[in-house]
Coordinates of all heavy atoms in Angstrom, one line a residue:
M1 N -3.1 -12.8 3.1 CA -4.5 -12.6 2.8 C -4.9 -11.1 3.1 O -5.5 -10.5 2.2 CB -5.4 -13.5 3.6 CG -6.8 -13.4 3.3 SD -7.1 -14.1 1.7 CE -8.8 -14.1 1.6
A2 N -4.4 -10.6 4.2 CA -4.7 -9.2 4.5 C -4.1 -8.2 3.5 O -4.7 -7.2 3.1 CB -4.2 -8.8 5.9
G3 N -2.9 -8.6 3.0 CA -2.2 -7.7 2.0 C -3.0 -7.7 0.7 O -3.1 -6.7 0.0
T4 N -3.5 -8.9 0.3 CA -4.3 -9.0 -1.0 C -5.6 -8.2 -0.9 O -5.9 -7.4 -1.8 CB -4.6 -10.4 -1.3 OG1 -3.4 -11.2 -1.3 CG2 -5.3 -10.6 -2.6
I5 N -6.3 -8.3 0.3 CA -7.5 -7.5 0.5 C -7.2 -6.0 0.4 O -7.9 -5.2 -0.2 CB -8.2 -7.9 1.8 CG1 -8.7 -9.4 1.7 CG2 -9.3 -7.0 2.1 CD1 -9.2 -10.0 3.0
T6 N -6.1 -5.6 1.1 CA -5.7 -4.2 1.1 C -5.4 -3.7 -0.3 O -5.8 -2.6 -0.7 CB -4.5 -4.0 2.0 OG1 -4.8 -4.5 3.3 CG2 -4.2 -2.5 2.1
A7 N -4.7 -4.5 -1.1 CA -4.4 -4.2 -2.5 C -5.7 -4.0 -3.3 O -5.8 -3.0 -4.1 CB -3.5 -5.3 -3.2
F8 N -6.7 -4.9 -3.2 CA -7.9 -4.7 -3.9 C -8.7 -3.5 -3.5 O -9.3 -2.8 -4.3 CB -8.8 -6.0 -3.8 CG -8.3 -7.1 -4.6 CD1 -8.2 -8.4 -4.0 CD2 -8.0 -7.0 -5.9 CE1 -7.8 -9.4 -4.7 CE2 -7.6 -8.1 -6.7 CZ -7.5 -9.3 -6.1
L9 N -8.7 -3.2 -2.2 CA -9.4 -2.0 -1.7 C -8.7 -0.7 -2.2 O -9.4 0.3 -2.6 CB -9.4 -2.0 -0.2 CG -10.3 -3.0 0.5 CD1 -10.1 -3.0 2.0 CD2 -11.8 -2.8 0.1
I10 N -7.4 -0.7 -2.2 CA -6.7 0.5 -2.7 C -7.0 0.7 -4.2 O -7.2 1.8 -4.7 CB -5.2 0.4 -2.4 CG1 -5.0 0.7 -0.9 CG2 -4.4 1.4 -3.2 CD1 -3.6 0.4 -0.4
T11 N -6.9 -0.4 -5.0 CA -7.2 -0.4 -6.4 C -8.6 0.2 -6.7 O -8.8 1.0 -7.5 CB -7.0 -1.8 -7.0 OG1 -5.7 -2.2 -6.7 CG2 -7.3 -1.8 -8.5
Y12 N -9.6 -0.3 -5.9 CA -11.0 0.1 -6.0 C -11.1 1.6 -5.7 O -11.8 2.4 -6.3 CB -11.9 -0.7 -5.1 CG -13.3 -0.3 -5.2 CD1 -14.1 -0.6 -6.3 CD2 -14.0 0.4 -4.2 CE1 -15.4 -0.3 -6.4 CE2 -15.3 0.7 -4.3 CZ -16.0 0.4 -5.4 OH -17.3 0.8 -5.5
W13 N -10.4 2.0 -4.6 CA -10.4 3.4 -4.2 C -9.9 4.4 -5.3 O -10.4 5.4 -5.6 CB -9.6 3.6 -2.9 CG -9.5 4.9 -2.3 CD1 -10.6 5.8 -2.2 CD2 -8.4 5.5 -1.6 NE1 -10.1 6.9 -1.5 CE2 -8.8 6.7 -1.1 CE3 -7.1 5.1 -1.3 CZ2 -8.0 7.6 -0.4 CZ3 -6.3 5.9 -0.6 CH2 -6.8 7.1 -0.1
F14 N -8.8 4.0 -5.9 CA -8.2 4.7 -7.0 C -9.2 4.8 -8.2 O -9.3 5.8 -8.9 CB -6.8 4.2 -7.5 CG -5.7 4.7 -6.8 CD1 -5.4 4.5 -5.4 CD2 -4.8 5.6 -7.4 CE1 -4.3 5.0 -4.8 CE2 -3.7 6.1 -6.8 CZ -3.5 5.8 -5.4
Y15 N -9.8 3.6 -8.5 CA -10.8 3.5 -9.6 C -11.9 4.5 -9.4 O -12.3 5.2 -10.3 CB -11.3 2.1 -9.7 CG -12.2 1.9 -10.9 CD1 -11.6 1.5 -12.2 CD2 -13.5 2.0 -10.8 CE1 -12.5 1.3 -13.2 CE2 -14.4 1.8 -11.9 CZ -13.8 1.4 -13.1 OH -14.7 1.2 -14.2
K16 N -12.5 4.5 -8.2 CA -13.7 5.4 -7.9 C -13.2 6.8 -7.9 O -14.0 7.7 -8.4 CB -14.3 5.0 -6.6 CG -15.1 3.7 -6.7 CD -16.1 3.9 -7.8 CE -17.4 3.1 -7.6 NZ -18.3 3.2 -8.6
S17 N -12.1 7.1 -7.4 CA -11.6 8.5 -7.4 C -11.4 9.0 -8.9 O -11.6 10.2 -9.2 CB -10.3 8.6 -6.6 OG -10.5 8.3 -5.3
A18 N -10.9 8.1 -9.7 CA -10.7 8.5 -11.1 C -12.0 8.8 -11.8 O -12.1 9.7 -12.6 CB -9.9 7.4 -11.9
E19 N -13.0 8.0 -11.5 CA -14.3 8.2 -12.1 C -14.9 9.5 -11.7 O -15.5 10.3 -12.4 CB -15.3 7.1 -11.7 CG -15.1 5.8 -12.5 CD -16.2 4.8 -12.1 OE1 -16.7 4.9 -11.0 OE2 -16.4 3.9 -12.9
A20 N -14.7 9.9 -10.4 CA -15.2 11.1 -9.9 C -14.5 12.4 -10.4 O -15.1 13.5 -10.5 CB -15.1 11.1 -8.3
T21 N -13.2 12.2 -10.8 CA -12.5 13.3 -11.3 C -12.3 13.3 -12.9 O -11.4 14.1 -13.4 CB -11.1 13.4 -10.7 OG1 -10.4 12.2 -10.9 CG2 -11.2 13.7 -9.2
D22 N -13.0 12.5 -13.5 CA -12.9 12.3 -15.0 C -11.5 12.0 -15.5 O -11.1 12.5 -16.6 CB -13.4 13.6 -15.7 CG -14.9 13.9 -15.4 OD1 -15.6 12.9 -15.3 OD2 -15.3 15.0 -15.4
K23 N -10.8 11.1 -14.8 CA -9.6 10.6 -15.3 C -9.8 9.2 -15.7 O -10.9 8.6 -15.5 CB -8.5 10.6 -14.2 CG -8.1 12.0 -13.8 CD -6.9 11.9 -12.9 CE -6.4 13.3 -12.6 NZ -5.0 13.4 -12.1
N24 N -8.8 8.6 -16.4 CA -9.0 7.2 -16.9 C -9.0 6.3 -15.7 O -8.0 6.1 -15.0 CB -7.8 6.9 -17.8 CG -8.0 5.5 -18.5 OD1 -8.8 4.7 -18.1 ND2 -7.1 5.3 -19.4
P25 N -10.1 5.6 -15.5 CA -10.2 4.7 -14.3 C -9.3 3.5 -14.3 O -8.7 3.2 -13.2 CB -11.7 4.3 -14.2 CG -12.4 5.1 -15.2 CD -11.4 5.7 -16.1
L26 N -9.1 2.9 -15.4 CA -8.2 1.7 -15.5 C -6.8 2.0 -15.2 O -6.1 1.3 -14.5 CB -8.4 1.0 -16.8 CG -9.8 0.3 -17.0 CD1 -9.9 -0.4 -18.3 CD2 -10.0 -0.7 -15.8
S27 N -6.3 3.1 -15.8 CA -4.9 3.4 -15.6 C -4.7 3.9 -14.2 O -3.6 3.6 -13.6 CB -4.4 4.5 -16.6 OG -5.1 5.7 -16.4
S28 N -5.7 4.6 -13.6 CA -5.6 5.1 -12.2 C -5.6 3.9 -11.3 O -4.9 3.9 -10.3 CB -6.7 6.1 -11.9 OG -6.5 7.3 -12.6
A29 N -6.5 2.9 -11.6 CA -6.5 1.7 -10.7 C -5.2 1.0 -10.8 O -4.7 0.5 -9.7 CB -7.7 0.8 -11.1
G30 N -4.6 0.9 -11.9 CA -3.3 0.2 -12.1 C -2.2 1.0 -11.3 O -1.4 0.4 -10.7
L31 N -2.3 2.3 -11.4 CA -1.3 3.1 -10.7 C -1.5 2.9 -9.2 O -0.5 2.8 -8.5 CB -1.6 4.6 -11.1 CG -0.4 5.5 -11.2 CD1 0.6 5.0 -12.2 CD2 -0.9 6.9 -11.6
G32 N -2.7 2.8 -8.7 CA -3.0 2.6 -7.3 C -2.4 1.3 -6.8 O -1.8 1.2 -5.8
F33 N -2.7 0.2 -7.7 CA -2.2 -1.1 -7.3 C -0.6 -1.1 -7.2 O -0.1 -1.6 -6.3 CB -2.7 -2.1 -8.4 CG -2.2 -3.5 -8.1 CD1 -2.8 -4.2 -7.1 CD2 -1.2 -4.1 -8.9 CE1 -2.4 -5.5 -6.8 CE2 -0.8 -5.4 -8.6 CZ -1.4 -6.1 -7.6
L34 N 0.0 -0.5 -8.2 CA 1.5 -0.5 -8.2 C 2.0 0.4 -7.1 O 3.1 0.1 -6.6 CB 2.0 0.0 -9.6 CG 1.8 -1.0 -10.7 CD1 2.2 -0.4 -12.0 CD2 2.5 -2.3 -10.5
S35 N 1.3 1.5 -6.8 CA 1.8 2.4 -5.7 C 1.7 1.7 -4.4 O 2.4 2.1 -3.4 CB 1.1 3.7 -5.7 OG -0.3 3.5 -5.3
Y36 N 0.9 0.6 -4.3 CA 0.9 -0.2 -3.1 C 1.9 -1.4 -3.2 O 2.6 -1.6 -2.2 CB -0.5 -0.7 -2.9 CG -0.6 -1.8 -1.8 CD1 -0.6 -1.4 -0.4 CD2 -0.7 -3.1 -2.1 CE1 -0.7 -2.4 0.6 CE2 -0.8 -4.1 -1.1 CZ -0.8 -3.7 0.2 OH -0.9 -4.6 1.2
L37 N 1.9 -2.0 -4.3 CA 2.7 -3.3 -4.4 C 4.2 -3.1 -4.4 O 4.9 -3.8 -3.7 CB 2.3 -4.0 -5.8 CG 2.9 -5.3 -6.0 CD1 2.5 -6.3 -5.0 CD2 2.7 -5.8 -7.4
I38 N 4.7 -2.1 -5.1 CA 6.1 -1.8 -5.2 C 6.7 -1.6 -3.8 O 7.7 -2.2 -3.4 CB 6.5 -0.8 -6.2 CG1 6.1 -1.3 -7.6 CG2 7.9 -0.3 -6.2 CD1 6.2 -0.3 -8.7
P39 N 6.2 -0.6 -3.0 CA 6.7 -0.4 -1.7 C 6.6 -1.7 -0.8 O 7.5 -2.0 0.0 CB 5.9 0.7 -1.1 CG 5.4 1.4 -2.2 CD 5.1 0.4 -3.3
C40 N 5.5 -2.5 -1.0 CA 5.4 -3.7 -0.2 C 6.5 -4.7 -0.5 O 7.1 -5.3 0.4 CB 4.1 -4.4 -0.5 SG 2.7 -3.6 0.3
I41 N 6.8 -4.8 -1.8 CA 7.9 -5.8 -2.2 C 9.2 -5.3 -1.7 O 10.1 -6.1 -1.2 CB 7.9 -6.0 -3.7 CG1 6.6 -6.7 -4.1 CG2 9.1 -6.7 -4.2 CD1 6.4 -6.8 -5.6
V42 N 9.5 -4.0 -1.9 CA 10.8 -3.4 -1.5 C 11.0 -3.6 0.0 O 12.0 -4.0 0.5 CB 10.9 -2.0 -1.9 CG1 12.1 -1.3 -1.2 CG2 11.0 -1.8 -3.4
W43 N 9.9 -3.3 0.8 CA 10.0 -3.5 2.3 C 10.2 -4.9 2.6 O 11.1 -5.2 3.5 CB 8.7 -3.0 2.9 CG 8.6 -3.1 4.4 CD1 8.2 -4.2 5.1 CD2 9.1 -2.1 5.4 NE1 8.3 -3.9 6.4 CE2 8.8 -2.7 6.6 CE3 9.6 -0.9 5.3 CZ2 9.1 -2.0 7.8 CZ3 9.9 -0.2 6.4 CH2 9.6 -0.8 7.7
T44 N 9.5 -5.8 2.0 CA 9.6 -7.2 2.3 C 11.0 -7.8 2.0 O 11.5 -8.6 2.8 CB 8.6 -8.1 1.5 OG1 7.3 -7.6 1.9 CG2 8.6 -9.5 1.9
L45 N 11.6 -7.3 0.9 CA 12.9 -7.9 0.6 C 14.1 -7.2 1.3 O 15.1 -7.8 1.5 CB 13.1 -7.7 -0.9 CG 12.2 -8.5 -1.8 CD1 12.4 -8.2 -3.3 CD2 12.3 -10.0 -1.5
T46 N 13.9 -6.0 1.7 CA 15.0 -5.2 2.3 C 14.9 -5.1 3.9 O 15.9 -5.3 4.6 CB 15.2 -3.8 1.7 OG1 14.0 -3.1 2.0 CG2 15.5 -3.9 0.3
V47 N 13.8 -4.8 4.4 CA 13.7 -4.5 5.8 C 13.2 -5.7 6.7 O 13.8 -6.0 7.7 CB 12.7 -3.3 6.1 CG1 12.6 -3.0 7.5 CG2 13.2 -2.1 5.3
T48 N 12.3 -6.5 6.2 CA 11.7 -7.6 6.9 C 12.7 -8.6 7.4 O 12.6 -9.1 8.5 CB 10.6 -8.2 6.2 OG1 9.6 -7.2 5.9 CG2 10.0 -9.4 6.9
P49 N 13.7 -9.0 6.6 CA 14.7 -10.0 7.1 C 15.4 -9.6 8.3 O 15.6 -10.4 9.3 CB 15.6 -10.2 5.9 CG 14.8 -9.9 4.7 CD 13.9 -8.8 5.1
G50 N 15.8 -8.3 8.4 CA 16.5 -7.8 9.6 C 15.5 -7.8 10.8 O 16.0 -8.1 11.9
L51 N 14.3 -7.4 10.6 CA 13.3 -7.4 11.7 C 13.0 -8.8 12.2 O 12.9 -9.0 13.4 CB 12.1 -6.7 11.2 CG 12.1 -5.2 10.9 CD1 10.8 -4.7 10.4 CD2 12.5 -4.4 12.2
R52 N 12.9 -9.7 11.3 CA 12.6 -11.1 11.7 C 13.8 -11.7 12.5 O 13.6 -12.4 13.5 CB 12.4 -12.0 10.5 CG 11.1 -11.8 9.9 CD 10.8 -13.0 8.9 NE 9.7 -12.7 8.0 CZ 8.4 -12.9 8.4 NH1 8.2 -13.4 9.5 NH2 7.5 -12.6 7.6
D53 N 15.0 -11.3 12.2 CA 16.2 -11.7 12.9 C 16.1 -11.2 14.3 O 16.4 -11.9 15.3 CB 17.4 -11.2 12.2 CG 18.6 -12.1 12.3 OD1 18.4 -13.3 12.6 OD2 19.7 -11.6 12.2
A54 N 15.7 -9.9 14.5 CA 15.6 -9.3 15.8 C 14.5 -9.9 16.6 O 14.7 -10.1 17.9 CB 15.4 -7.8 15.7
V55 N 13.4 -10.3 16.0 CA 12.3 -10.9 16.7 C 12.6 -12.3 17.2 O 12.2 -12.7 18.2 CB 11.0 -10.9 15.9 CG1 9.9 -11.7 16.5 CG2 10.6 -9.5 15.7
E56 N 13.5 -13.0 16.4 CA 13.9 -14.4 16.9 C 14.6 -14.4 18.2 O 14.5 -15.4 18.9 CB 14.7 -15.0 15.8 CG 14.0 -15.5 14.6 CD 14.9 -16.1 13.5 OE1 16.1 -16.4 13.8 OE2 14.4 -16.3 12.4
H57 N 15.3 -13.3 18.5 CA 16.0 -13.2 19.8 C 15.1 -12.8 20.9 O 15.6 -12.9 22.1 CB 17.2 -12.3 19.6 CG 18.2 -12.7 18.6 ND1 18.9 -13.9 18.7 CD2 18.6 -12.1 17.4 CE1 19.7 -14.0 17.6 NE2 19.5 -13.0 16.8
N58 N 13.9 -12.3 20.6 CA 13.0 -11.9 21.7 C 11.6 -12.4 21.3 O 10.7 -11.6 21.0 CB 13.1 -10.4 21.8 CG 12.4 -9.9 23.1 OD1 12.0 -10.7 23.9 ND2 12.1 -8.6 23.1
P59 N 11.3 -13.7 21.4 CA 10.0 -14.2 20.9 C 8.9 -13.9 22.0 O 9.2 -13.6 23.1 CB 10.3 -15.7 20.8 CG 11.4 -16.0 21.8 CD 12.2 -14.7 21.8
G60 N 7.7 -13.9 21.5 CA 6.6 -13.8 22.4 C 6.2 -12.3 22.6 O 5.4 -12.0 23.5
T61 N 6.7 -11.4 21.8 CA 6.3 -10.0 21.9 C 5.4 -9.6 20.8 O 5.2 -10.3 19.8 CB 7.5 -9.1 21.9 OG1 8.2 -9.3 20.7 CG2 8.4 -9.5 23.1
L62 N 4.8 -8.5 20.9 CA 3.9 -8.0 19.8 C 4.7 -7.5 18.6 O 4.2 -7.3 17.6 CB 3.1 -6.8 20.3 CG 1.9 -7.1 21.2 CD1 1.2 -5.9 21.7 CD2 0.9 -8.0 20.5
S63 N 6.0 -7.4 18.8 CA 6.8 -7.0 17.6 C 6.8 -8.0 16.5 O 7.0 -7.7 15.4 CB 8.3 -6.7 18.1 OG 8.8 -7.9 18.6
G64 N 6.5 -9.3 16.9 CA 6.4 -10.3 15.9 C 5.2 -10.1 15.0 O 5.2 -10.3 13.7
L65 N 4.1 -9.6 15.6 CA 2.9 -9.2 14.8 C 3.2 -8.1 13.9 O 2.8 -8.0 12.7 CB 1.8 -8.9 15.7 CG 0.4 -8.7 15.1 CD1 -0.1 -10.0 14.4 CD2 -0.6 -8.2 16.1
F66 N 4.0 -7.1 14.4 CA 4.3 -5.9 13.6 C 5.2 -6.3 12.4 O 5.0 -5.9 11.3 CB 5.1 -4.9 14.4 CG 5.6 -3.8 13.6 CD1 4.8 -2.8 13.1 CD2 7.0 -3.7 13.4 CE1 5.4 -1.7 12.4 CE2 7.5 -2.7 12.6 CZ 6.7 -1.7 12.1
V67 N 6.1 -7.2 12.6 CA 7.0 -7.6 11.5 C 6.2 -8.3 10.4 O 6.5 -8.1 9.3 CB 8.1 -8.6 12.1 CG1 8.9 -9.3 11.0 CG2 9.1 -7.8 13.0
N68 N 5.2 -9.1 10.8 CA 4.5 -9.8 9.8 C 3.6 -8.9 8.9 O 3.3 -9.3 7.8 CB 3.6 -10.9 10.5 CG 4.5 -12.1 11.0 OD1 5.6 -12.3 10.4 ND2 4.0 -12.7 12.0
Y69 N 3.1 -7.8 9.5 CA 2.1 -7.0 8.8 C 2.6 -5.6 8.5 O 1.9 -4.7 8.0 CB 0.8 -7.0 9.5 CG 0.2 -8.3 9.6 CD1 0.2 -9.0 10.8 CD2 -0.4 -8.9 8.5 CE1 -0.4 -10.3 10.8 CE2 -1.0 -10.1 8.5 CZ -1.0 -10.8 9.7 OH -1.5 -12.1 9.7
A70 N 3.9 -5.3 8.8 CA 4.4 -3.9 8.5 C 4.4 -3.5 7.1 O 4.1 -2.4 6.7 CB 5.8 -3.8 9.1
Y71 N 4.6 -4.5 6.2 CA 4.6 -4.2 4.8 C 3.2 -3.6 4.3 O 3.2 -2.8 3.4 CB 4.9 -5.4 3.9 CG 3.8 -6.5 3.9 CD1 3.0 -6.5 2.7 CD2 3.6 -7.4 4.9 CE1 2.0 -7.4 2.6 CE2 2.6 -8.3 4.8 CZ 1.8 -8.4 3.7 OH 0.8 -9.3 3.6
I72 N 2.1 -4.0 4.9 CA 0.8 -3.5 4.6 C 0.7 -2.0 5.0 O 0.2 -1.2 4.2 CB -0.3 -4.3 5.3 CG1 -0.3 -5.8 4.8 CG2 -1.7 -3.7 5.1 CD1 -1.2 -6.7 5.5
L73 N 1.2 -1.7 6.1 CA 1.2 -0.3 6.6 C 2.1 0.6 5.7 O 1.7 1.7 5.3 CB 1.7 -0.2 8.0 CG 0.8 -0.9 9.1 CD1 1.5 -0.8 10.4 CD2 -0.6 -0.3 9.1
V74 N 3.2 0.1 5.3 CA 4.1 0.8 4.4 C 3.5 1.0 3.0 O 3.5 2.1 2.5 CB 5.5 0.1 4.3 CG1 6.4 0.7 3.2 CG2 6.2 0.2 5.7
G75 N 3.0 -0.1 2.5 CA 2.3 0.0 1.2 C 1.1 0.9 1.1 O 0.9 1.7 0.2
A76 N 0.3 0.8 2.2 CA -0.9 1.7 2.3 C -0.5 3.1 2.4 O -1.1 4.0 1.8 CB -1.8 1.2 3.4
A77 N 0.5 3.4 3.2 CA 0.9 4.8 3.4 C 1.5 5.4 2.1 O 1.2 6.5 1.7 CB 2.0 4.9 4.5
C78 N 2.2 4.6 1.3 CA 2.7 5.1 0.0 C 1.6 5.3 -0.9 O 1.6 6.3 -1.7 CB 3.7 4.1 -0.5 SG 5.3 4.0 0.4
A79 N 0.6 4.4 -1.0 CA -0.5 4.5 -1.9 C -1.4 5.7 -1.5 O -1.8 6.5 -2.4 CB -1.4 3.3 -1.8
I80 N -1.6 6.0 -0.2 CA -2.3 7.2 0.2 C -1.6 8.4 -0.2 O -2.2 9.4 -0.8 CB -2.6 7.1 1.7 CG1 -3.6 6.0 2.0 CG2 -3.1 8.5 2.2 CD1 -3.7 5.7 3.5
G81 N -0.3 8.5 0.0 CA 0.5 9.7 -0.4 C 0.4 9.9 -1.9 O 0.2 11.0 -2.4
F82 N 0.6 8.8 -2.7 CA 0.5 8.9 -4.1 C -0.9 9.3 -4.6 O -1.0 10.0 -5.6 CB 0.9 7.5 -4.7 CG 1.2 7.6 -6.2 CD1 2.5 8.1 -6.6 CD2 0.3 7.3 -7.1 CE1 2.7 8.2 -8.0 CE2 0.6 7.4 -8.5 CZ 1.8 7.9 -8.9
K83 N -1.9 8.8 -4.0 CA -3.3 9.2 -4.4 C -3.5 10.7 -4.2 O -4.0 11.3 -5.1 CB -4.3 8.4 -3.5 CG -5.7 8.7 -4.0 CD -6.6 8.9 -2.9 CE -8.0 9.1 -3.4 NZ -8.5 10.4 -3.3
F84 N -3.0 11.2 -3.2 CA -3.2 12.7 -3.0 C -2.4 13.5 -3.9 O -2.8 14.6 -4.3 CB -3.0 13.1 -1.5 CG -4.1 12.6 -0.6 CD1 -3.9 11.7 0.3 CD2 -5.4 13.1 -0.8 CE1 -5.0 11.2 1.1 CE2 -6.5 12.7 0.0 CZ -6.2 11.7 1.0
L85 N -1.3 13.0 -4.4 CA -0.5 13.7 -5.4 C -1.1 13.5 -6.8 O -1.1 14.5 -7.5 CB 1.0 13.1 -5.4 CG 1.9 13.4 -4.2 CD1 3.2 12.7 -4.3 CD2 2.1 14.9 -4.1
H86 N -1.6 12.3 -7.1 CA -2.1 12.0 -8.4 C -3.5 12.8 -8.6 O -3.7 13.2 -9.7 CB -2.3 10.5 -8.6 CG -2.9 10.1 -9.9 ND1 -2.2 10.3 -11.0 CD2 -4.0 9.6 -10.2 CE1 -2.9 9.8 -12.1 NE2 -4.0 9.4 -11.6
F87 N -4.3 12.8 -7.6 CA -5.6 13.4 -7.8 C -5.7 14.9 -7.2 O -6.8 15.4 -7.0 CB -6.7 12.6 -7.1 CG -6.9 11.3 -7.8 CD1 -6.4 10.1 -7.2 CD2 -7.5 11.2 -9.0 CE1 -6.6 8.9 -7.8 CE2 -7.7 10.0 -9.6 CZ -7.3 8.8 -9.0
K88 N -4.6 15.5 -7.0 CA -4.6 16.9 -6.5 C -5.2 17.8 -7.5 O -4.9 17.7 -8.7 CB -3.1 17.3 -6.3 CG -3.0 18.7 -5.6 CD -1.7 18.9 -5.1 CE -0.7 19.2 -6.2 NZ 0.6 19.7 -5.7
Q89 N -6.2 18.5 -7.1 CA -6.9 19.4 -8.0 C -6.1 20.6 -8.4 O -5.4 21.2 -7.5 CB -8.2 19.9 -7.3 CG -9.2 18.8 -7.0 CD -9.8 18.2 -8.3 OE1 -10.0 18.9 -9.3 NE2 -10.1 16.9 -8.2
A90 N -6.1 21.0 -9.6 CA -5.4 22.2 -10.1 C -6.1 23.4 -9.5 O -7.3 23.5 -9.7 CB -5.4 22.2 -11.6
K91 N -5.4 24.2 -8.9 CA -6.0 25.5 -8.3 C -6.1 26.5 -9.4 O -5.2 26.7 -10.2 CB -5.1 26.0 -7.2 CG -5.1 25.1 -6.0 CD -4.3 25.6 -4.9 CE -4.3 24.6 -3.7 NZ -3.6 25.1 -2.6
S92 N -7.3 27.1 -9.5 CA -7.5 28.1 -10.6 C -7.3 29.5 -10.1 O -7.2 29.9 -9.0 CB -8.8 28.0 -11.2 OG -9.8 27.6 -10.3

């Protein structure tokens, strides 16, 4: 649920930023959504299984919470970086 809410917030953020900079809002919103979703999927399929394995050997720690929600942090970080690259103002 938290990942879905984050995806919608990032999509909305890209949409509003596109409106403010006179770019196409729908394509920018789609770009924002994908810049969040693709890293989330890659993280979940490649890194999370190994982390879950490590947490099973040491239950009851906060690392279990990190493993469950790390994909959100990774996806959000990638989306933020991509946003600043996509909306970078041309210097005159």
Side-chain angles (χ1 to χ4, degrees):
M1 184 70 171
T4 304
I5 292 170
T6 306
F8 285 131
L9 290 174
I10 288 172
T11 302
Y12 181 74
W13 184 37
F14 270 71
Y15 184 88
K16 285 306 209 180
S17 296
E19 283 183 337
T21 58
D22 294 330
K23 291 191 176 199
N24 185 349
L26 289 179
S27 66
S28 293
L31 216 57
F33 180 74
L34 291 176
S35 70
Y36 170 78
L37 183 67
I38 292 171
C40 285
I41 291 172
V42 170
W43 179 271
T44 300
L45 294 177
T46 59
V47 178
T48 299
L51 291 176
R52 284 192 193 276
D53 212 26
V55 169
E56 284 180 10
H57 298 298
N58 192 13
T61 61
L62 284 177
S63 59
L65 186 65
F66 171 76
V67 168
N68 289 332
Y69 296 106
Y71 75 96
I72 296 172
L73 297 174
V74 170
C78 290
I80 289 168
F82 193 81
K83 187 223 182 253
F84 287 113
L85 289 174
H86 181 66
F87 292 107
K88 186 166 72 170
Q89 296 291 329
K91 295 182 180 180
S92 34

